[in-house]
Amino acid sequence: MSRQLQFKLVLLGESAVGKSSLVLRFVKDQFDDYRESTIGAAFLTQTIQLDDATTVKFEIWDTAGQERYKAPMYYRNANCAVVVYDITQSSSLDKARTWVRELQRQADPSIVILLCGNKSDLEPRRQVSKEEAQKYAEEEGLLWAEASAKSGDGVHEIFTSIAKKLPLS
Ligand code: GTP
Ligand code: MG
């Protein structure tokens, strides 16, 4: 017997950290050096094979980082959230912490949250150490990963590690 499970996933984080780029890599395996800032939010879906018997369909809300579009409706009934920061911008981790706090207060208590440090291809410009981010994620009970939408490194793993934490029955 095979089964398909469906989950709502929301991407949150400061503008330009690469939320849309991560989704584009995950859904179409593409990357653009010149992506336009998202207006409002974009909706996409992608299905992954978790094991022989299980496929997981993600319904993805790629939100806009620009403050004027901020709207809680995208995470209200989300099963999971990817909160993204840019490893070359330490201020983007502060913004990610703000999002995590907001999710912890306002989202469904069972929400699975993954903190993602994007742009891992820009190692020479790194401002956020792995240790700092990982320690924070551990303290808050979040999954944590680094990825590069540009190279594709770690992108698929973000979604599979979330899928493994979701209730699969
Ligand atoms: P908003 O829609 O404004 O919230 O921004 P966003 O978080 O969706 O960022 P977006 O995906 O539009 O990417 C912003 C810029 O960062 C673009 O110029 C991308 O090409 C670049 N970018 C995204 N991911 C990566 C990455 O992994 N590595 C590098 N080097 N650049 C990236
Ligand atoms: Mg975007």
Side-chain angles (χ1 to χ4, degrees), residues 13-22 31-38 62-66 118-122 147-151:
E14 193 168 73
S15 185
V17 293
K19 299 177 295 299
S20 299
S21 299
L22 287 166
F31 178 79
D32 279 346
D33 267 309
Y34 303 98
R35 266 208 90 59
E36 284 184 15
S37 201
T38 305
D62 168 24
T63 68
Q66 290 179 32
N118 188 38
K119 310 198 186 182
S120 64
D121 56 291
L122 298 178
S148 167
K150 185 165 184 167
S151 72

Side-chain angles (χ1 to χ4, degrees), residues 2 9 13-14 22 32 46-47 54 69 75 79 103 118 120 128 132 138 159:
S2 68
L9 182 148
E14 193 168 73
L22 287 166
D32 279 346
Q46 176 65 305
T47 303
T54 316
Y69 299 115
Y75 64 73
N79 304 105
L103 289 171
N118 188 38
S120 64
V128 179
E132 177 189 6
E138 253 165 46
F159 295 89

Side-chain angles (χ1 to χ4, degrees), residues 31-125:
F31 178 79
D32 279 346
D33 267 309
Y34 303 98
R35 266 208 90 59
E36 284 184 15
S37 201
T38 305
I39 294 171
F43 181 75
L44 299 97
T45 66
Q46 176 65 305
T47 303
I48 60 170
Q49 185 86 35
L50 200 58
D51 58 45
D52 288 348
T54 316
T55 57
V56 171
K57 181 179 181 184
F58 285 108
E59 300 181 330
I60 303 168
W61 283 104
D62 168 24
T63 68
Q66 290 179 32
E67 205 63 28
R68 67 191 138 127
Y69 299 115
K70 193 175 162 189
M73 60 187 176
Y74 299 111
Y75 64 73
R76 279 253 162 83
N77 50 17
N79 304 105
C80 41
V82 179
V83 178
V84 184
Y85 64 95
D86 172 348
I87 68 153
T88 74
Q89 298 291 335
S90 50
S91 61
S92 71
L93 181 61
D94 299 334
K95 183 69 197 177
R97 289 173 193 260
T98 306
W99 274 118
V100 168
R101 273 195 296 276
E102 183 161 339
L103 289 171
Q104 289 169 336
R105 279 197 212 114
Q106 318 253 25
D108 190 295
S110 67
I111 192 167
V112 174
I113 305 173
L114 184 143
L115 178 70
C116 172
N118 188 38
K119 310 198 186 182
S120 64
D121 56 291
L122 298 178
E123 187 61 40
R125 287 167 46 192

